[in-house]
Amino acid sequence: TLAEGLAGPLSFDVGHRGDLYVGQAFTGALTKIRPGRSPVDLVPPTGKDLAAVSVHGKEVTWAETTLGDEGQPVASVLRRMDRTGKIRTVADIWAHEERHNPDQKYTYGVRGIDAECA
């Protein structure tokens, strides 16, 4: 066990020195876990959904989704932290989805059921 008490550690990647970078989906924190040391929040809990963690060299990239009152996505961005700790937005995923809807030809969910069942 490297760390305990994480909230929804659903996405992670391993850095060049064996450091583990964990996206805590339920709190929006990005946590660095170095074996033998206490976990450090590189991004403190934001209440957003943090996923798709990826490390390349000394940079870490992740997706951050803001959820509405009923749990539906209302915004989503791709962020990157450089080796100095500076965070920048790489892409506005939500804006791209709204503008281009690349998966519009697909239907999601159960089809052919009555409204009461749905």
Side-chain angles (χ1 to χ4, degrees), residues 9-92:
L10 303 177
S11 177
F12 65 90
D13 200 3
V14 179
H16 70 286
R17 293 189 297 183
D19 299 336
L20 186 64
Y21 294 82
V22 179
Q24 296 188 58
F26 304 148
T27 65
L30 174 64
T31 304
K32 180 179 178 181
I33 302 170
R34 182 173 286 167
R37 296 189 182 176
S38 296
V40 175
D41 284 341
L42 301 176
V43 173
T46 61
K48 299 177 181 181
D49 180 49
L50 199 144
V53 175
S54 177
V55 178
H56 182 73
K58 295 183 179 181
E59 294 185 329
V60 59
T61 305
W62 67 92
E64 186 178 284
T65 302
T66 303
L67 302 175
D69 293 336
E70 298 188 22
Q72 77 284 12
V74 295
S76 188
V77 294
L78 192 64
R79 298 208 192 277
R80 180 170 294 144
M81 178 183 289
D82 68 18
R83 65 179 177 211
T84 68
K86 181 179 178 185
I87 299 172
R88 67 183 177 91
T89 299
V90 177
D92 186 332

